[in-house]
Amino acid sequence: MEPLTTGAVAIGTVLATKALEKIGENIGDSLSNKTKQFIAALKKQSPETVTAIEKAPEQPLDYGQAVLEVEAAAKKDPEVNQAIQELTAAAKAEPNPKLAEILAMPNLEKLADKIGMVVMPGGTGNIQNMTF
């Protein structure tokens, strides 16, 4: 997988994991641990990016910029690169079908809109039926 693609998957996984946990979905321990490891490694290289990711979807995230910053951090720091690779592998291995459905979204900004509808108080999005 290209670094930009893995960076996008990593960000998508963090956001999807956050959304699924908020609505009470079970996420495997491996994926949860890999998500935390990715965030910790990224925070050393790009704390602003981590802050922006953690505030999404409540505050809009510039996904294109976030992916570029994650990619840059991965090129600078082998620990970030390794964390991205491990998070991507854990996401692919996660048995929760809702995570796979979320990560299959072709457009991260539409993904963010859908996640925002699900996790915000009074949200009406249905994570099982993601159509745009």
Side-chain angles (χ1 to χ4, degrees):
M1 211 176 246
E2 294 296 318
L4 187 61
T5 304
T6 56
V9 169
I11 293 169
T13 300
V14 171
L15 296 174
T17 300
K18 180 179 169 182
L20 291 172
E21 287 174 344
K22 275 194 170 187
I23 62 170
E25 285 290 320
N26 290 327
I27 301 296
D29 288 340
S30 176
L31 181 60
S32 181
N33 290 336
K34 296 300 179 189
T35 299
K36 290 174 187 169
Q37 288 172 359
F38 165 70
I39 291 295
L42 183 60
K43 195 172 222 169
K44 294 175 189 174
Q45 283 293 319
S46 186
E48 308 83 26
T49 303
V50 171
T51 299
I53 291 169
E54 288 175 338
K55 288 182 179 179
E58 289 84 10
Q59 288 186 352
L61 175 65
D62 181 342
Y63 289 88
Q65 185 62 37
V67 169
L68 292 174
E69 290 172 10
V70 167
E71 180 185 59
K75 286 180 180 177
K76 284 183 189 176
D77 187 345
E79 182 184 359
V80 174
N81 187 42
Q82 182 67 29
I84 289 172
Q85 300 302 323
E86 290 176 5
L87 178 58
T88 302
K92 287 181 179 180
E94 173 62 36
N96 188 318
K98 291 180 182 178
L99 179 69
E101 185 179 347
I102 291 170
L103 293 178
M105 301 304 305
N107 181 320
L108 282 177
E109 291 189 24
K110 288 184 179 182
L111 166 64
D113 292 342
K114 182 58 92 174
I115 289 173
M117 289 187 332
V118 172
V119 298
M120 287 187 177
T124 59
N126 180 350
I127 215 161
Q128 292 176 344
N129 183 14
M130 299 175 79
T131 56
F132 299 108

